[in-house]
Amino acid sequence: MGSKRKGILERLDAGEVVVGDGGYVMQLERRGYVKAGHWTPEAAVEHPEAVRQLHREFLRAGANVIQTFTFYCSEDKLEISGNVKGITGAQINEAACDMAREVANEGAALVAGGVSQTPCYVKSHSEPEVKAIFKKQMDNFMKKDIDFFIAEFFEHVEEAVWAVEVLKTSSKTIGVTLCISPHGDMDGVPPGECAVRLVKAGADIVGINCHLDPLTCVRTVKLMKAGLDKAGLKAHLMIQPLGFHTPECNLGGYVSLPEFPFALETRAMTRWDVQKYAREAYNVGIRYIGGCCGFEAYHIRAIAEELAAERGFLPPASEKHGLWGAALEMHSKPWVRARACREYWENLLPASGRPKCPSIATPADE
Amino acid sequence: MGSKRKGILERLDAGEVVVGDGGYVMQLERRGYVKAGHWTPEAAVEHPEAVRQLHREFLRAGANVIQTFTFYCSEDKLEISGNVKGITGAQINEAACDMAREVANEGAALVAGGVSQTPCYVKSHSEPEVKAIFKKQMDNFMKKDIDFFIAEFFEHVEEAVWAVEVLKTSSKTIGVTLCISPHGDMDGVPPGECAVRLVKAGADIVGINCHLDPLTCVRTVKLMKAGLDKAGLKAHLMIQPLGFHTPECNLGGYVSLPEFPFALETRAMTRWDVQKYAREAYNVGIRYIGGCCGFEAYHIRAIAEELAAERGFLPPASEKHGLWGAALEMHSKPWVRARACREYWENLLPASGRPKCPSIATPADE
Amino acid sequence: MGSKRKGILERLDAGEVVVGDGGYVMQLERRGYVKAGHWTPEAAVEHPEAVRQLHREFLRAGANVIQTFTFYCSEDKLEISGNVKGITGAQINEAACDMAREVANEGAALVAGGVSQTPCYVKSHSEPEVKAIFKKQMDNFMKKDIDFFIAEFFEHVEEAVWAVEVLKTSSKTIGVTLCISPHGDMDGVPPGECAVRLVKAGADIVGINCHLDPLTCVRTVKLMKAGLDKAGLKAHLMIQPLGFHTPECNLGGYVSLPEFPFALETRAMTRWDVQKYAREAYNVGIRYIGGCCGFEAYHIRAIAEELAAERGFLPPASEKHGLWGAALEMHSKPWVRARACREYWENLLPASGRPKCPSIATPADE
Amino acid sequence: MGSKRKGILERLDAGEVVVGDGGYVMQLERRGYVKAGHWTPEAAVEHPEAVRQLHREFLRAGANVIQTFTFYCSEDKLEISGNVKGITGAQINEAACDMAREVANEGAALVAGGVSQTPCYVKSHSEPEVKAIFKKQMDNFMKKDIDFFIAEFFEHVEEAVWAVEVLKTSSKTIGVTLCISPHGDMDGVPPGECAVRLVKAGADIVGINCHLDPLTCVRTVKLMKAGLDKAGLKAHLMIQPLGFHTPECNLGGYVSLPEFPFALETRAMTRWDVQKYAREAYNVGIRYIGGCCGFEAYHIRAIAEELAAERGFLPPASEKHGLWGAALEMHSKPWVRARACREYWENLLPASGRPKCPSIATPADE
C-alpha cells in the first residue's frame, strides 16, 4: 500500500526533486514485447515478467514514480491498432496497475496511472466522445491502488484539457504533459498559454514529455513557466523528454525524422548528456524530472546521480556505477584509466563511427 | 534437460544456421547490475531475475544458444577486480549454469558454458597457472548441465590454445573466439594462423567475438577460414561481433576508442545494419552467428529475420515486429507509413543529431 | 569614360538585375598580395597587375560593377595597421580608382568607389572625427572617374548613417551595406530599423554584405525590406554575402568562427550553392546581387548563369562553362558523363573528406 | 636565358629542396579561362595575361620551377576535345613556353616543359602512334628555351615509359610523375615497379602527381622509393599531389568522387594541412615538392614556409603572411588575436558548416 508514503504533492511542495521513470514502449519493442507502429501495452498481460523487470530497473535506478504501463491503452486506440486480440483494455489497465504497485512497493515509489492521447480526438473532435474514453480508462484505474494520474503525450492542448477535466473528478492529483515544441501545440497555441489552460482546468503539475530532446523540452517548459508567471498562476513543473538528440527541432518532433522509429540509435543520449539535462532542468525550477522514449535505466540513474547532492542520496543502482566513470580507475589499459574523471566525459565529443552519414536530417514535415 | 536436443555439432554439421545470443555485460551495466571497468557477473547471484530476463529476451529473439553469464568469472579476475564480496566464483558459475539451463529449456536452446581471458595470462605467462584457472572454472561447469563450451575474448591466441587444451579434457564440444582485428592477435599472429593453432589444439568451432564491428569481424573470420583451407583443416566458423560501428579498426578495438565505455551510443548498430551483417556472415560460410557487447534482443531478432528464408522459420519475438518495418503501414502520419518497406530502411543514412561531433575518432593506441 | 553608360539607378529603376563583383582581400591574400589581420589594399600600388587581373576575372564572370580596391583604406586604419610603409591612403585610393576604371571600360561596367568602417568609430564615437575620415577618402575618389559609392561592412548602423551623410554631399548615388545578422547590428538595432535610418540619411540602395552566408544574408535583407515597407519608404536592395557556409549564424559572423581566417576552406560555397542563393535573392526582390569574402570569379559567373533567362544574356566567362555541368558530356569516364545535368548537382551533398572534423563549430562569441 | 642558373639536377644533387608550382587547369577554370571536362590550355593563347598572372603568383609564393601551361596539349587531345578552334597545339605550346620563360626570369626559377597522358594511348595502345604524339609536342618545346621536361599525369606506367623514351632523345633532364594510388597503376603494376621501369627508361626524377591527397601521395612515393632501393637504382623523388582531401583513396582517385569536378570545395586543404604534408614529404626524402589541382599560391607558400629553416630563406609572398598566423596579433577581437600561434592552427579541426552532408563519399568506381 502506498497510503503511508508521502504523496507526490507533499514531495513537490516540500521542494524535493522527484525522479520520474524512463520510456517503456520503445525499450520493450527492442526487448521483443511491443510492436512498433502500434505501440500498445498488451505485454502487461502477455509478458508481465518483462514489464515487471523494466519497472524494477527504473526503480533501482532511482525513480520515485512508477508509471503504469498503459500507454495508448484506450479502447478506441486498441481497436484501431488491431494488434491486441482477446484482451480487453480493462484487463491491461488493471494488470498494469497491479504490477506497478507491486514494484513500487519494493521501494518507496509512488504509482502514477497513465493516460494518453486518443485517436478519437483527431477523428471526431467530439468532447463527449473523447471524455467518455478517458472516463472509462479512469474507472479501470480507480478500482486499483494508484497514487496520482499522469495524462501525457498530447499534441493538442484542448485534448489535454479534456483529460484533466475528466481525471479531476477522481480527486486524485493530476500531472499533465504535452509532446509539443517551443513553437507550441499543433493548433499553434504557444507553450505559455497551454500551461495556463491546463492549470485552469485543474492540473497540479504541468510540463512536457516525448517528441523532442531534453534541452529543447527544458526550453519549452521554461516557456510554460513564463506563461504561468505572467498569468499569476502556480503549478509544479515536470519534464520527461526523449532520450535522443533532435537538433532539427521541428513541430512534429522525432516522428518526422527520417530515423523514426527504427534507426534512432545514433541519436541516443549518453549518461553525460543526461546529467547536463538534469542540471538544466533543475536550474529552470523543474522538480519532477524523468524521461520518455529512449530513456533507459542508466539514463534515469544519471538524473539521480547528477542531483545526488541536492537530494542527499544515491539510488540503489549506483552501487554498480562509479560517479563520472570512477570505476575505470582499475582498468588494465592506461588510457582507459585516464578516463576515470568528470572532465573527460564532460568534454568528450563522441564520434558517430558513420562517416558516410550526415549529422543532421531533413524532417519530413519541414 | 537438453539431452534429447540436437547438439551444436549435429546442427552445424547438418548445415543449419545457429543463432547465438547477444551481449550481457554492457546491457546489464545499463540496466544497473554490472559495474563497468570490472565487468564481472556477480549479478547471476545478486540479481538472478535480471539475468534471467535478459536470457529470455535473447531466446525469444531467436537465439539457439544461451551462454552462461560467466564472463570474467575466473578466480583471479574476481580477486583483482575486488568488486565481488562474499560470493565465490564457483557460486556464480553454478548459479549461472542453472539459470541458463532453466531459460534454454523454455525453448529448444542449448547451453554453452562460457570461459574468457584471464588477467593471469598477461601477468605471469605461466601455462600451468593459467591452465589451473581454466580447469577450476571448467570443473564448476561440469557439475552442471551444459551442452558445450565457448572460450572467448582472447587477445592472444596462445592463451586461447591453453583454454582449448584444458576444456578438451571435458570431452565437450568447444567453440573458441578471439577478439582480434584483421591485423592479427596482440603478438602479431595473423588470423589464419590463429585459426590453425586453435583447430590443432582441438577446437570444433573457431571465430571472432567482440572488439570490432560486424563487417570487420566478418573479414577476420574470412582470413581464419582462408588459413584453415590453406592448411587443409576443417572447422565450423562462428562470429559474435560488437554491436557498434568501429571504422577506425585498430589493433585494440573499441577499448581504444575515446567513447569506450560510456559514450558508445552514437556508434550503435541499427537492426538494418545487423541484417546486412547477418547476410555477409552467411555468405562467407559462417553458420554460428550471434553478437557480443552492444547486441540487444532486437539485434538478435534481426539475424533471425534476415536468415528466416534459409532457416524456414521466424523467432517468437517476430510476432511483435513487421519485417522491414511492415507494421508502420498503420501509422497515422503518411510519411511514416511510407517507411513500411525494405528499400527505405536499407538505404537510410541515419543522422547523428550531433553536428558538433566528428564521425571518426582517433584511437588511443594509434 | 563611364558617362555614356546607363547609371546604377537607371538600371535598377528599370528592373534590371545588376551583378556585383566578388571578394578582393581574401582572394588576394591567397594570391600573396594582402596580409591577413591587416586586410589593407596597398596592393593597388604595390602590385597593380594582380589587382587588375582580379578585376578582370570578375568582369569576365559577369560583374556589372567594379568596386575600387579600397577596403579599409582610411587614413586611421592604415596607420593603426602599420602594414603600409611609404604609401599614402590617397595614393592607394587614386590608383585603385584608375585601375577599376580601366577594367570597367573593357566591358560595360560601372565603377563604385568603396568606403568601409573605420577603427575611429569604435575608439572615439566622435561624429566629427569619423566624418572627417570619410570626407577625406571621398575627396580622393572625387578626383577620379567613379560612377557611384558603396559604403560597406558596417557593424553599427550609426557609423553607416554618418558615411551616407558625408557621401551624400558628393551628389553621387549611394549604396550602403551592413555586415550584420538577422538579429540586428552590434547595438541591437534590428535590420528593419537599420534600413529605415539609412534610407532617411539618403542611401539609394541598402542591403547586407560579408560576415554571414548567402541564405542568412538574404533573410536579413528581407527584414530590411519589411522595415522599409512598414515605414512607407522605398530603396533598392543589394546583397554581397560571404562565400562560406556559416550555419552557426551568431552576431559576430564568421570572424567568431574557429576557422577564421585561415581554415575556412571547408565552408566554401560551390557554384551550385551560389545559384540557389542567386535565385533566393532574386525572389526576395533584391536586384543588386554580388558577393564578398570567399566569392571568386566562378561564383559571380554562377549568379549570372542562374539569372541568365531573366537578364537575356550570359557573361563572357560562360564560354568556358557548360550550364549545369553540360561540358562533362565529353568526359572519358561514364560516371562523370552522367553528371552533365542539373539534377545531379542540385541534389549532391558534398562530403568534407574530413571524418575527424565536426560539421558545426562553436563560435567564440557564443 | 636560364643558362646561368643552376639546373634542376644540380640543385637536387646538392640536396636542395626544390619547390614546385601549383595547379593550373582547375584554378583557371574557376577564374573563367579553362573549360572543365576539356581541361585544355588554349588560354595560353587566348588570355595570356591570366596565365601569366597565375605563373607570377606561384613564383612569388616560392616556386623554383614554372611549368609551361601545356596540360593535355597534344594534337590528339585537342582534336577530341573539340574545344579549341583556330588555334594549333604548336601555337599553344610555343606561347606557353615563352610565357613561362618570361615569368621564370623575373625570379631565379627554371622552366619545365610539361607533357601529359594522351587519349591515343587508351584508344590505340600503339607505341609508334603515341610516341609520335610526344615527339611532336617535344619538338615544339625544343624550339623554345626550356630547362627540363616534366611528363605527368599518367595512369599507365607503360605510357609514361614511352614518354620518357621520346623525351630522352632531347638530352634534357626528365622528371616523370604518375597519377596512381598506393595500389598501383591501372594495370595493377605496383608503385615500386613503376619507379623501376621509369628510371630504367631514363627518368632522372620520379614521383606522383594529382588524383589523390598529399599524404596518400607521400605513401605512394615512399613505395616507389622502396622499389628503387630494392632494385639498387637511384633517382630523385618528386611529388605534386591534389590540394583536396581524398580519404576514400580508391584506384581512380578524385575523378571517381561524387564531388568531381564542381563540388570539391569542402575537401580543399588549408595552408596548415599543406605544411604537414611538406614536412612528411621532406621526411620521406622527397626534395621536389609542389602541388597539382587544388594547389593555389598560398599552398605553395605554405610548402616554402614549412621548409624555410632547411632552405634558409622565405619566399617573396611571405612578406604578406605572418608565420603560423602571427599577423593576427593586431586583430581587434581578442579571440582572433589568440589564434596568432602555431598550436592553434596545428590542432584545429575545421568544421564543414554543412551538417546535412556526410564526411566521406562512396567513389563511383568502388
Side-chain angles (χ1 to χ4, degrees):
Chain A
M1 289 295 300
S3 53
K4 293 175 211 140
R5 269 165 225 152
K6 281 206 286 184
I8 185 70
L9 283 187
E10 260 180 291
R11 296 180 190 208
L12 293 171
D13 287 343
E16 285 179 27
V17 173
V18 171
V19 176
D21 52 4
Y24 287 90
V25 291
M26 276 228 159
Q27 186 57 24
L28 288 170
E29 193 279 332
R30 291 185 176 181
R31 297 187 185 189
Y33 303 99
V34 163
K35 195 162 192 170
H38 302 271
W39 307 114
T40 45
E42 62 278 10
V45 170
E46 292 175 351
H47 296 281
E49 76 289 355
V51 179
R52 189 181 294 115
Q53 175 58 26
L54 188 53
H55 278 321
R56 275 189 183 130
E57 291 169 20
F58 289 136
L59 182 76
R60 178 168 162 78
N64 299 124
V65 175
I66 299 300
Q67 257 183 270
T68 57
F69 181 52
T70 53
F71 183 75
Y72 268 168
C73 201
S74 59
E75 290 292 342
D76 68 325
K77 176 68 189 179
L78 292 174
E79 194 179 314
I80 284 170
S81 146
N83 189 39
V84 187
K85 314 276 192 224
I87 310 176
T88 65
Q91 281 176 301
I92 299 173
N93 285 323
E94 293 178 21
C97 286
D98 288 342
M99 203 158 24
R101 170 55 62 204
E102 176 192 344
V103 176
N105 285 354
E106 293 170 15
L110 301 172
V111 172
V115 168
S116 48
Q117 65 169 249
T118 65
C120 178
Y121 175 78
V122 172
K123 212 173 55 183
S124 75
H125 277 94
S126 153
E127 186 172 338
E129 284 182 41
V130 172
K131 284 190 160 176
I133 289 169
F134 289 134
K135 173 74 167 57
K136 195 164 174 187
Q137 204 177 348
M138 180 183 70
D139 290 343
N140 297 158
F141 288 122
M142 293 305 289
K143 289 189 207 157
K144 297 292 178 177
D145 180 19
I146 66 161
D147 294 302
F148 66 105
F149 280 109
I150 293 178
E152 67 178 6
F153 198 67
F154 293 99
E155 295 174 281
H156 303 266
V157 68
E158 183 181 54
E159 187 184 10
V161 164
W162 294 350
V164 171
E165 288 170 351
V166 171
L167 297 173
K168 199 69 196 163
T169 64
S170 74
S171 70
K172 296 272 185 193
T173 297
I174 301 168
V176 60
T177 51
L178 308 178
C179 54
I180 66 171
S181 86
H183 304 298
D185 89 342
M186 284 299 186
D187 297 313
V189 185
E193 191 182 331
C194 288
V196 167
R197 290 196 202 174
L198 292 167
V199 171
K200 286 190 175 165
D204 304 287
I205 315 167
V206 298
I208 293 293
N209 82 308
C210 207
H211 268 196
L212 288 155
D213 64 24
L215 297 186
T216 303
C217 290
V218 169
R219 276 169 50 212
T220 316
V221 176
K222 221 172 153 177
L223 292 169
M224 295 178 100
K225 184 174 186 287
L228 293 176
D229 287 350
K230 209 175 147 188
L233 292 173
K234 279 207 165 247
H236 294 291
L237 301 172
M238 74 182 281
I239 186 165
Q240 308 217 84
L242 282 191
F244 302 109
H245 288 276
T246 62
E248 296 86 353
C249 185
N250 55 315
L251 261 189
Y254 81 143
V255 176
S256 304
L257 294 179
E259 294 81 12
F260 178 85
F262 293 132
L264 289 160
E265 283 80 354
T266 52
R267 295 176 175 266
M269 312 290 289
T270 65
R271 58 197 78 193
W272 322 114
D273 291 331
V274 170
Q275 290 202 218
K276 196 176 167 196
Y277 143 65
R279 179 58 53 194
E280 286 271 310
Y282 182 84
N283 286 346
V284 160
I286 306 170
R287 288 298 175 268
Y288 189 123
I289 305 173
C292 197
C293 299
F295 263 76
E296 301 182 29
Y298 73 108
H299 294 115
I300 296 300
R301 179 175 60 193
I303 299 172
E305 289 185 350
E306 175 66 28
L307 298 172
E310 284 78 5
R311 306 175 80 214
F313 59 94
L314 282 168
S318 291
E319 67 176 307
K320 296 292 180 189
H321 189 239
L323 292 183
W324 293 105
L328 299 178
E329 265 162 24
M330 52 75 60
H331 199 277
S332 59
K333 312 282 183 201
W335 60 81
V336 179
R337 284 200 295 277
R339 296 173 190 169
C341 65
R342 175 172 182 159
E343 201 198 3
Y344 181 84
W345 296 108
E346 258 189 348
N347 294 308
L348 181 71
L349 290 167
S352 69
R354 300 175 182 263
K356 294 195 178 180
C357 294
S359 64
I360 291 211
T362 303
D365 62 345
E366 200 172 67
Chain B
M1 291 297 298
S3 54
K4 294 173 209 139
R5 268 164 225 152
K6 281 206 285 184
I8 184 70
L9 284 187
E10 260 179 291
R11 295 179 191 208
L12 292 170
D13 287 343
E16 286 179 24
V17 173
V18 171
V19 176
D21 52 4
Y24 288 90
V25 291
M26 277 229 159
Q27 186 58 25
L28 288 170
E29 194 278 333
R30 292 186 176 180
R31 296 187 185 187
Y33 303 99
V34 163
K35 194 162 191 171
H38 302 271
W39 307 115
T40 46
E42 62 277 10
V45 170
E46 292 176 351
H47 295 281
E49 77 289 354
V51 180
R52 189 181 296 114
Q53 174 60 25
L54 187 52
H55 278 322
R56 274 189 185 130
E57 291 169 19
F58 290 136
L59 182 76
R60 178 168 162 79
N64 300 124
V65 176
I66 298 300
Q67 257 183 269
T68 58
F69 180 51
T70 53
F71 183 74
Y72 270 169
C73 201
S74 60
E75 290 292 344
D76 69 325
K77 176 67 187 176
L78 291 175
E79 195 180 311
I80 284 171
S81 147
N83 189 38
V84 186
K85 314 278 189 220
I87 309 176
T88 65
Q91 283 176 300
I92 299 173
N93 284 322
E94 294 177 22
C97 286
D98 287 343
M99 204 158 25
R101 172 53 64 203
E102 176 193 344
V103 176
N105 284 355
E106 293 170 12
L110 301 170
V111 171
V115 168
S116 48
Q117 65 168 248
T118 66
C120 179
Y121 175 78
V122 172
K123 211 172 55 183
S124 74
H125 277 94
S126 155
E127 185 171 340
E129 284 182 42
V130 171
K131 284 190 161 175
I133 289 169
F134 289 135
K135 172 75 167 57
K136 195 164 172 189
Q137 204 178 351
M138 179 184 71
D139 290 344
N140 297 157
F141 288 123
M142 294 305 288
K143 290 190 206 152
K144 298 293 181 177
D145 180 19
I146 66 161
D147 295 301
F148 67 105
F149 279 109
I150 293 178
E152 67 178 5
F153 198 67
F154 293 99
E155 294 175 282
H156 304 266
V157 68
E158 185 180 55
E159 188 184 9
V161 164
W162 293 349
V164 170
E165 288 170 351
V166 171
L167 297 173
K168 199 68 198 166
T169 65
S170 73
S171 73
K172 295 274 184 192
T173 297
I174 302 169
V176 59
T177 51
L178 308 178
C179 53
I180 66 171
S181 85
H183 305 297
D185 89 342
M186 284 297 184
D187 298 313
V189 185
E193 192 183 331
C194 288
V196 167
R197 291 196 201 173
L198 291 167
V199 171
K200 286 190 174 164
D204 304 287
I205 316 166
V206 298
I208 294 293
N209 83 307
C210 207
H211 267 197
L212 288 156
D213 64 24
L215 297 186
T216 303
C217 290
V218 169
R219 278 168 49 213
T220 316
V221 175
K222 220 170 154 179
L223 293 169
M224 294 179 102
K225 184 174 188 286
L228 293 175
D229 287 350
K230 210 175 148 191
L233 293 172
K234 277 207 168 250
H236 294 292
L237 301 172
M238 75 182 280
I239 186 166
Q240 307 217 86
L242 282 191
F244 302 109
H245 288 277
T246 62
E248 297 87 352
C249 186
N250 54 314
L251 262 188
Y254 81 143
V255 177
S256 304
L257 293 179
E259 294 81 12
F260 177 85
F262 293 131
L264 290 160
E265 282 81 352
T266 51
R267 295 174 175 269
M269 313 289 290
T270 64
R271 59 198 75 195
W272 321 113
D273 292 329
V274 170
Q275 290 202 218
K276 196 175 167 196
Y277 143 67
R279 180 57 54 195
E280 286 273 309
Y282 182 85
N283 286 346
V284 161
I286 307 170
R287 288 296 176 270
Y288 190 125
I289 303 173
C292 197
C293 300
F295 264 78
E296 302 182 30
Y298 73 107
H299 294 116
I300 296 301
R301 179 175 61 193
I303 299 173
E305 289 185 350
E306 175 65 29
L307 299 171
E310 285 78 4
R311 307 176 79 213
F313 59 93
L314 281 168
S318 290
E319 66 176 310
K320 297 291 180 187
H321 188 238
L323 291 183
W324 294 106
L328 299 179
E329 264 163 24
M330 51 72 62
H331 199 277
S332 58
K333 312 281 183 199
W335 59 81
V336 178
R337 284 201 295 278
R339 297 173 189 169
C341 64
R342 175 172 182 158
E343 202 200 2
Y344 181 83
W345 295 108
E346 259 189 348
N347 293 311
L348 181 69
L349 291 166
S352 68
R354 299 175 182 262
K356 294 195 177 179
C357 294
S359 65
I360 290 210
T362 304
D365 62 345
E366 201 172 65
Chain C
M1 290 297 300
S3 53
K4 294 175 209 138
R5 270 167 224 150
K6 278 206 289 184
I8 185 70
L9 284 187
E10 261 180 291
R11 296 180 192 208
L12 292 170
D13 287 343
E16 284 180 27
V17 173
V18 172
V19 175
D21 53 4
Y24 288 89
V25 291
M26 276 228 159
Q27 185 58 24
L28 288 171
E29 194 279 331
R30 292 185 175 182
R31 296 187 184 188
Y33 303 99
V34 163
K35 195 162 192 171
H38 302 270
W39 306 115
T40 46
E42 62 278 10
V45 171
E46 291 176 352
H47 295 281
E49 78 288 355
V51 180
R52 188 181 294 113
Q53 174 59 26
L54 188 53
H55 278 322
R56 275 190 183 130
E57 291 169 21
F58 290 136
L59 182 76
R60 178 168 162 77
N64 299 125
V65 176
I66 299 299
Q67 257 184 269
T68 57
F69 181 52
T70 52
F71 183 74
Y72 270 168
C73 201
S74 59
E75 291 292 343
D76 68 326
K77 176 68 188 175
L78 291 174
E79 193 179 313
I80 285 171
S81 147
N83 188 38
V84 186
K85 314 275 189 223
I87 309 176
T88 63
Q91 282 176 301
I92 300 173
N93 284 324
E94 294 177 22
C97 285
D98 287 343
M99 200 157 27
R101 170 57 61 205
E102 175 192 346
V103 176
N105 284 354
E106 293 169 14
L110 300 172
V111 171
V115 168
S116 48
Q117 64 168 250
T118 65
C120 179
Y121 175 77
V122 172
K123 213 173 52 182
S124 73
H125 277 95
S126 153
E127 185 172 340
E129 284 182 42
V130 171
K131 283 189 162 175
I133 290 169
F134 289 134
K135 172 76 166 55
K136 194 163 176 191
Q137 204 178 349
M138 180 184 71
D139 290 342
N140 296 158
F141 288 122
M142 293 306 288
K143 291 191 206 151
K144 297 292 179 177
D145 181 20
I146 66 162
D147 294 302
F148 66 106
F149 280 108
I150 293 178
E152 67 178 5
F153 198 67
F154 293 98
E155 294 173 282
H156 303 266
V157 69
E158 184 181 54
E159 188 184 8
V161 164
W162 293 349
V164 170
E165 287 170 351
V166 170
L167 297 174
K168 199 70 197 164
T169 64
S170 73
S171 71
K172 296 272 184 192
T173 297
I174 302 169
V176 59
T177 52
L178 308 179
C179 54
I180 65 171
S181 85
H183 303 298
D185 89 343
M186 283 298 184
D187 297 313
V189 185
E193 192 184 330
C194 288
V196 168
R197 291 196 202 173
L198 291 167
V199 171
K200 286 190 175 166
D204 304 287
I205 316 167
V206 297
I208 293 293
N209 82 307
C210 206
H211 267 197
L212 288 155
D213 64 23
L215 297 186
T216 304
C217 290
V218 169
R219 276 168 50 213
T220 316
V221 176
K222 220 171 154 180
L223 293 169
M224 293 178 102
K225 182 173 189 288
L228 293 175
D229 287 350
K230 210 176 146 191
L233 293 173
K234 275 201 169 256
H236 293 292
L237 300 173
M238 76 181 279
I239 185 165
Q240 306 217 88
L242 282 190
F244 301 109
H245 288 276
T246 62
E248 296 86 353
C249 186
N250 54 315
L251 261 188
Y254 81 143
V255 176
S256 303
L257 293 179
E259 294 80 13
F260 178 86
F262 292 131
L264 289 161
E265 282 82 353
T266 52
R267 294 175 176 268
M269 312 290 289
T270 65
R271 59 197 76 194
W272 322 113
D273 292 329
V274 170
Q275 290 202 220
K276 197 177 166 196
Y277 143 67
R279 180 55 55 195
E280 285 271 311
Y282 183 84
N283 287 346
V284 161
I286 306 170
R287 287 298 175 269
Y288 189 124
I289 304 174
C292 195
C293 301
F295 263 76
E296 302 182 29
Y298 72 108
H299 294 116
I300 297 300
R301 179 174 61 192
I303 298 173
E305 290 185 350
E306 175 66 28
L307 299 172
E310 284 78 5
R311 306 177 79 213
F313 60 93
L314 281 169
S318 290
E319 67 177 306
K320 297 291 181 188
H321 189 239
L323 292 182
W324 293 107
L328 299 179
E329 263 163 26
M330 51 73 62
H331 199 277
S332 59
K333 312 282 182 202
W335 59 82
V336 179
R337 284 200 296 278
R339 296 172 190 169
C341 64
R342 174 172 183 157
E343 201 199 2
Y344 181 83
W345 295 108
E346 257 189 348
N347 294 308
L348 181 69
L349 291 166
S352 68
R354 300 175 181 261
K356 294 196 178 179
C357 294
S359 64
I360 290 209
T362 304
D365 62 346
E366 201 172 65
Chain D
M1 289 296 299
S3 54
K4 294 175 210 140
R5 268 166 224 152
K6 282 205 286 185
I8 185 71
L9 284 187
E10 259 180 292
R11 296 179 190 209
L12 292 170
D13 287 344
E16 285 179 27
V17 173
V18 171
V19 175
D21 52 2
Y24 288 90
V25 292
M26 276 228 160
Q27 185 58 25
L28 287 171
E29 193 278 332
R30 291 186 176 180
R31 296 188 185 188
Y33 304 98
V34 163
K35 194 162 191 172
H38 303 270
W39 306 116
T40 46
E42 62 277 10
V45 170
E46 293 175 351
H47 296 281
E49 78 288 356
V51 179
R52 189 180 295 113
Q53 174 59 26
L54 187 53
H55 278 322
R56 275 188 184 132
E57 292 169 20
F58 289 137
L59 182 76
R60 177 169 164 77
N64 299 123
V65 175
I66 298 299
Q67 257 184 268
T68 57
F69 182 53
T70 53
F71 183 75
Y72 270 169
C73 200
S74 60
E75 291 291 345
D76 68 325
K77 177 66 189 178
L78 291 174
E79 194 179 312
I80 284 170
S81 147
N83 189 38
V84 186
K85 313 277 190 223
I87 310 176
T88 65
Q91 283 176 299
I92 299 172
N93 284 323
E94 294 177 22
C97 286
D98 288 342
M99 202 156 27
R101 172 53 64 203
E102 175 193 346
V103 176
N105 284 354
E106 292 170 13
L110 301 171
V111 171
V115 168
S116 49
Q117 66 169 250
T118 65
C120 179
Y121 175 78
V122 172
K123 212 172 54 182
S124 74
H125 277 94
S126 155
E127 185 171 340
E129 285 183 40
V130 171
K131 284 189 160 174
I133 289 170
F134 289 134
K135 172 77 167 56
K136 194 163 176 191
Q137 204 177 349
M138 180 184 70
D139 290 343
N140 297 158
F141 288 123
M142 293 306 289
K143 290 190 208 152
K144 298 293 180 175
D145 180 20
I146 67 163
D147 295 300
F148 67 104
F149 279 110
I150 293 177
E152 68 179 5
F153 198 66
F154 293 100
E155 294 173 283
H156 303 265
V157 68
E158 185 181 54
E159 188 184 8
V161 164
W162 292 350
V164 171
E165 288 171 351
V166 170
L167 297 174
K168 200 69 197 161
T169 65
S170 74
S171 72
K172 296 273 184 193
T173 297
I174 302 168
V176 59
T177 52
L178 308 178
C179 55
I180 66 172
S181 86
H183 304 298
D185 89 342
M186 283 300 186
D187 297 314
V189 185
E193 191 182 332
C194 288
V196 167
R197 291 196 201 173
L198 292 167
V199 171
K200 286 190 175 165
D204 304 286
I205 316 167
V206 297
I208 293 294
N209 83 307
C210 207
H211 266 196
L212 288 155
D213 64 24
L215 298 186
T216 303
C217 289
V218 169
R219 277 169 50 212
T220 316
V221 176
K222 221 172 154 178
L223 293 168
M224 294 178 101
K225 183 174 188 286
L228 293 175
D229 287 349
K230 211 176 145 188
L233 293 172
K234 278 203 166 250
H236 294 292
L237 301 172
M238 75 182 280
I239 185 165
Q240 307 217 86
L242 281 191
F244 302 109
H245 288 277
T246 62
E248 296 86 352
C249 184
N250 53 312
L251 261 188
Y254 81 142
V255 177
S256 304
L257 293 180
E259 294 81 12
F260 177 86
F262 293 131
L264 289 160
E265 283 80 353
T266 52
R267 294 175 175 268
M269 312 288 290
T270 64
R271 57 197 76 194
W272 322 114
D273 291 330
V274 170
Q275 290 202 218
K276 197 177 165 193
Y277 143 66
R279 180 57 53 194
E280 285 273 309
Y282 182 84
N283 287 346
V284 160
I286 306 170
R287 288 296 176 269
Y288 190 125
I289 304 173
C292 197
C293 300
F295 263 78
E296 303 183 27
Y298 73 108
H299 294 115
I300 296 301
R301 179 174 61 191
I303 299 173
E305 289 185 348
E306 175 66 27
L307 298 171
E310 284 78 6
R311 307 176 78 212
F313 59 93
L314 281 168
S318 290
E319 66 175 308
K320 297 290 180 189
H321 188 238
L323 291 183
W324 293 107
L328 299 180
E329 264 162 25
M330 51 72 62
H331 199 277
S332 58
K333 312 280 184 202
W335 60 82
V336 178
R337 284 200 295 278
R339 296 173 190 169
C341 65
R342 176 172 183 158
E343 202 199 3
Y344 181 83
W345 296 108
E346 258 189 348
N347 294 308
L348 181 70
L349 291 166
S352 68
R354 299 175 182 263
K356 294 196 177 179
C357 294
S359 64
I360 290 208
T362 304
D365 62 346
E366 202 172 65

